[in-house]
Amino acid sequence: MTAALVVPAPAPVTVPVAGRADRFPVHRIYCVGRNYAAHAREMGKDPDKEPPFFFLKPADAVVTDGRDVHYPPGTANYHHEVELVVAIGRAGHDIAPEAALAHVWGYAVGLDMTRRDLQLAARDLGRPWDFGKGFDESAPIGPIHPVSDIGHLAIGAITLEVNGAMRQMADLAEMIWNVPDTIAYLSRYYRLVPGDLIFTGTPAGVAAVIPGDAMRAMVTGLPALEVKVLPPLS
Ligand code: MN
């Protein structure tokens, strides 16, 4: 006898694959905190003293296929964070740094949208970051580009413009924990599986956006991700 679902099943969450009709299914979204020294400093922290740390967003926080984001509830300080996103294609745990890139299926440009006021209040009280980081529509992401097409991304510009004005500009090579080290560290604590996404942290220059603003996020080697901020959902 087949069991019936007592409420409708949630829709699978998928991200488009560049240049193909195929889609990448999302399992989890891991995010690295403070992975660029200048951003750690602008958050009031010393970048040299801390090992990497992570937080998660729900899979269904992704926003894809050219959709825009609504200004979220509960905040008066809604921030952009441009990030390189790693898409995991091979399972593994306790992965050695030298073996880590073999677990990468592809790369994308992402935005770790943040309710900064809620995140900082939680941080300063020693509380979880979920309300500041893991809300609806908090993970816009562009199409995933397969490693088989573009190779690996380790150097090159990462930028974010708002309404045509540069807000964030750095180089991927400035990451404190590079992609192999990040995968190796994370996989000591979680079993990574195909479908996991890793947001690899943002450079300095994070700032607020408001309804009407247009964000343009770029990583060298990938097409721009353009996302507008819409008025709040009523
Ligand atoms: Mn971030």
Side-chain angles (χ1 to χ4, degrees):
M1 194 164 65
T2 304
L5 298 173
V6 298
V7 297
V13 177
T14 64
V15 178
V17 173
R20 309 185 190 181
D22 304 335
R23 312 273 304 182
F24 181 91
V26 180
H27 174 244
R28 289 181 186 162
I29 304 174
Y30 297 97
C31 303
V32 187
R34 289 181 217 129
N35 202 22
Y36 290 79
H39 173 63
R41 288 190 202 98
E42 76 179 350
M43 290 288 108
K45 298 296 178 182
D46 182 344
D48 299 326
K49 288 185 177 172
E50 297 179 1
F53 69 93
F54 294 82
F55 56 89
L56 286 86
K57 291 176 186 266
D60 68 353
V62 301
V63 176
T64 63
D65 300 280
R67 284 189 294 133
D68 295 316
V69 294
H70 296 86
Y71 195 93
T75 184
N77 199 16
Y78 176 49
H79 274 206
H80 55 74
E81 296 192 358
V82 60
E83 310 205 359
L84 173 68
V85 180
V86 174
I88 296 294
R90 181 188 296 181
H93 67 99
D94 205 10
I95 299 164
E98 314 78 64
L101 289 181
H103 293 261
V104 178
W105 192 86
Y107 295 93
V109 183
L111 286 166
D112 167 16
M113 298 305 297
T114 300
R115 293 192 283 210
R116 189 72 69 200
D117 41 3
L118 302 189
Q119 180 217 358
L120 294 185
R123 183 191 77 179
D124 294 344
L125 291 167
R127 290 177 180 164
W129 284 16
D130 302 54
F131 272 34
K133 289 291 197 176
F135 53 95
D136 295 340
E137 300 184 341
S138 61
I141 183 171
I144 296 175
H145 292 252
V147 169
S148 58
D149 290 353
I150 64 160
H152 290 283
L153 301 179
I155 58 170
I158 176 169
T159 63
L160 183 103
E161 297 172 15
V162 177
N163 305 329
M166 191 69 77
R167 291 271 193 93
Q168 297 186 264
M169 183 167 55
D171 195 286
L172 297 177
E174 296 171 40
M175 285 186 196
I176 296 170
W177 295 79
N178 64 21
V179 169
D181 287 345
T182 297
I183 291 171
Y185 190 95
L186 180 61
S187 73
R188 287 158 57 187
Y189 295 89
Y190 289 91
R191 186 173 293 271
L192 298 181
V193 303
D196 286 333
L197 298 176
I198 303 172
F199 279 59
T200 57
T202 199
V206 300
V209 284
I210 57 174
D213 283 345
M215 299 179 286
R216 179 178 169 86
M218 290 197 70
V219 169
T220 298
L222 303 176
L225 168 65
E226 299 189 344
V227 180
K228 289 191 180 71
V229 181
L230 304 172
L233 281 170
S234 52

